[in-house]
Amino acid sequence: MVVENLKQVEERVKAACERAGRQRDEVTLIAVSKTKPVSMIEELLPGGTRDFGENKVQELCDKYEQLPKDIRWHLIGHLQRNKVKYVVDKVCLIHSVDSLRLAQTISEEAGKKGVNVPVLIEVNVAGEESKFGVKPEETEELVRQIAQLPGISVRGLMTIAPYVEDPEENRVHFSSLKKLSVDIKKKNIDNVSMNVLSMGMTGDYEVAIEEGATMVRVGTGIFGERDYSKQA
Ligand SMILES: *Cc1c(COP(=O)(O)O)cnc(C)c1O
């Protein structure tokens, strides 16, 4: 089932790239495996899937231990500073940096482990009150401050768009994140590359690709609905 779902998502990613006049290899499909068992991830490995997304540090570390080391783990959820030390040497990209304090902690822990940690700045483009993420107008300043820190590199921006019935409603948010990344890229800030745009989930990844996403994060569309009732 998981392999079949992935195939269908892959078809839609390809079609969206074609509509947008983009190459398929410009877009990384991240399979968001949070709450799902290791066995489901293993089903996708023979087909070559290596990018997986998790939103909890403990779960990412557990799966990291059990699965092949060539998997690229993306931390996509809110990250608490006291947990940074567990993940800096396990993840290929942290998508959810939204404060200087968090970036400083990542920088310090990266120094201790002798690694460099690529990160994205999470931007709250829709202005939703309950959400994490910096305001669009505060993004450039945060990028500039993080750019000064050793052991951490800003690679681009990420957003979590609102849940909507019609994905077209999110087009405006995706295009404004794209515009923001282009604006910041033009500033040519040292130690910053603005090449990654992580946006789009199961309900709206095709629209996100049309608007310039270079990473889409798809969970339900690949692994099926999540069941949170069994968790503590
Ligand atoms: C859970 C999650 C996703 C995947 O959501 P689906 O709607 O299941 O595709 C993507 N991004 C983030 C940040 C998430 O927490």
Side-chain angles (χ1 to χ4, degrees), residues 1 18 35 48 58 65 84 86 103 107 116 122 136 210:
M1 174 199 89
E18 275 165 21
T35 80
Q58 179 71 54
E65 292 305 329
V84 167
Y86 304 116
S107 171
N116 187 281
E122 180 173 351
E210 289 168 12

Side-chain angles (χ1 to χ4, degrees), residues 123-126 136 157 170-183 197 199 211:
V123 185
N124 183 355
V125 273
L157 306 178
N170 279 337
R171 189 178 292 276
V172 58
H173 302 310
F174 296 143
S175 72
S176 79
L177 191 71
K178 168 74 182 183
K179 184 177 178 305
L180 183 62
S181 90
V182 169
D183 288 347
L197 211 49
M199 56 188 196
E211 295 301 326

Side-chain angles (χ1 to χ4, degrees), residues 32 34 76 158 160 201-202 217-220 226:
V32 176
K34 65 187 187 196
I76 60 175
M158 175 270 214
I160 302 175
M201 309 181 8
T202 294
R217 313 176 304 263
V218 179
T220 310
R226 287 176 292 275

Side-chain angles (χ1 to χ4, degrees), residues 1-3 6 30-54 59-74 218 222-223:
M1 174 199 89
V2 180
V3 169
L6 178 73
I30 299 170
V32 176
S33 47
K34 65 187 187 196
T35 80
K36 299 296 180 180
V38 159
S39 60
M40 280 180 128
I41 296 176
E42 283 170 333
E43 286 182 55
L44 296 180
L45 299 181
T49 305
R50 286 298 178 277
D51 289 279
F52 290 92
E54 291 287 338
E59 190 175 347
L60 189 153
C61 292
D62 288 347
K63 287 173 175 170
Y64 176 92
E65 292 305 329
Q66 296 176 61
L67 287 159
K69 293 297 170 280
D70 65 344
I71 287 180
R72 291 182 291 273
W73 293 105
H74 297 256
V218 179
I222 296 172
F223 294 104

